[in-house]
Amino acid sequence: FLRGFCAQGEVLADIGADLAELRSSRAQLGPAYDLLRKTLVEIAPNVSALRRDVQAASAIDRLHILQSAHGRIETGDEIISLCALIGERNFALIADGRELAITRIEQAQAEVSAQLETLGAGTELREKSLSGLKTLQDQVDLEISHAALLGLCEEAANDRDSVLERLNRQITSERPAVGEQQLLLTVVRPGRLAGGLIIEQEADLDVYFDKVREALAPMLKAGMRVRLE
């Protein structure tokens, strides 16, 4: 009887250990699912960009499956691992976007500053001319959307073009004599000059070049240098 009781005690002890482990695993599920929900919210602005990464796309799909299986899994280990992977990829994506945005904004600032030097601009005009780019620069560290960061790059280019055009007009109006004219720099995007022309055949190229020539000729006659982007 004693031997049987002791053997049964060992079985009961094993069952108790298994139950304790199961309770521990299930206790982990609450925080794991909290992390899952938080991760999905954080990556929401960048899901489209993240899905270009095959591994990240697979991890996102798996998280959604695990989210719908709440209560039917026994451990949160996989959730935690997937959230770590996706979080890392999302962080890298944002970092790359911020680095690109800062680079483009600084390039635009340098071009505007060079034109301000040509003009011999004072402090007030410098601050006014660079204020838009400074505002964009301040937004970079606050932005967590990769698409929005690419949008800041486009905004920087547009702001630069607008400011350079305004400064070029000012320099032209203040130019004292033809012999003393300085060669001004303006940035032009040929696609805009062509008015959305669709090139389907060789003859369309002639139309395109005629439109570009028509737009650029007055600038060159006015003494400007033109950089195509």
Side-chain angles (χ1 to χ4, degrees), residues 45-46 52 93-94 96-98 100-102 104-105 108 132-133 135-137 139-140 143-160 189 192:
N46 297 319
R52 299 190 193 108
L93 188 69
I94 295 171
D96 289 345
R98 285 176 176 169
L100 178 61
I102 286 294
R104 295 292 176 82
I105 292 170
L133 292 170
T135 298
L136 295 178
Q137 193 172 36
Q139 292 177 27
V140 172
E143 189 54 69
I144 60 171
S145 164
H146 186 260
L149 288 164
L150 296 182
L152 291 180
C153 296
E154 182 69 17
E155 288 185 54
N158 292 336
D159 186 274
R160 174 205 61 196
R189 300 179 189 179
R192 293 185 177 181

Side-chain angles (χ1 to χ4, degrees), residues 4-229:
F5 180 79
C6 290
Q8 186 178 18
E10 291 176 1
V11 171
L12 291 175
D14 290 341
I15 294 174
D18 291 342
L19 288 174
E21 183 178 351
L22 179 61
R23 282 194 296 269
S24 175
S25 297
R26 291 197 176 279
Q28 182 194 39
L29 284 175
Y33 271 101
D34 288 342
L35 177 62
L36 183 153
R37 286 186 288 269
K38 180 182 177 182
T39 298
L40 291 179
V41 169
E42 288 180 349
I43 68 169
N46 297 319
V47 168
S48 296
L50 285 169
R51 284 192 174 279
R52 299 190 193 108
D53 179 324
V54 175
Q55 193 174 8
S58 176
I60 292 170
D61 290 338
R62 181 60 181 162
L63 273 188
H64 283 294
I65 292 172
L66 292 172
Q67 185 180 36
S68 64
H70 196 314
R72 299 196 301 275
I73 62 175
E74 297 181 353
T75 175
D77 291 345
E78 184 181 8
I79 293 175
I80 294 170
S81 176
L82 290 171
C83 287
L85 185 150
I86 297 172
E88 179 182 331
R89 300 297 169 86
N90 189 51
F91 179 83
L93 188 69
I94 295 171
D96 289 345
R98 285 176 176 169
E99 183 178 358
L100 178 61
I102 286 294
T103 298
R104 295 292 176 82
I105 292 170
E106 288 179 346
Q107 288 173 347
Q109 288 172 326
E111 292 180 37
V112 171
S113 295
Q115 201 72 320
L116 288 167
E117 288 293 331
T118 299
L119 183 60
T123 302
E124 184 177 351
L125 180 57
R126 287 176 180 274
E127 291 180 352
K128 181 180 179 181
S129 299
L130 292 167
S131 62
L133 292 170
K134 178 63 168 62
T135 298
L136 295 178
Q137 193 172 36
D138 291 340
Q139 292 177 27
V140 172
D141 287 338
L142 303 176
E143 189 54 69
I144 60 171
S145 164
H146 186 260
L149 288 164
L150 296 182
L152 291 180
C153 296
E154 182 69 17
E155 288 185 54
N158 292 336
D159 186 274
R160 174 205 61 196
D161 293 350
S162 176
V163 172
L164 288 178
E165 183 180 353
R166 185 170 66 248
L167 292 176
N168 284 339
R169 286 198 303 267
Q170 184 168 343
I171 295 175
T172 302
S173 66
E174 295 177 359
R175 190 179 293 163
V178 175
E180 300 175 14
Q181 290 180 2
Q182 294 171 302
L183 289 177
L184 312 178
L185 174 66
T186 188
V187 180
V188 173
R189 300 179 189 179
R192 293 185 177 181
L193 300 179
L197 173 69
I198 297 176
I199 298 176
E200 297 179 326
Q201 51 191 350
E202 216 173 305
D204 294 331
L205 289 174
D206 295 330
V207 177
Y208 170 76
F209 288 124
D210 286 343
K211 287 179 176 290
V212 173
R213 186 181 296 106
E214 181 182 347
L216 296 183
M219 299 181 190
L220 297 175
K221 288 179 181 178
M224 295 183 181
R225 290 177 298 148
V226 178
R227 187 178 74 197
L228 302 179
E229 282 194 354

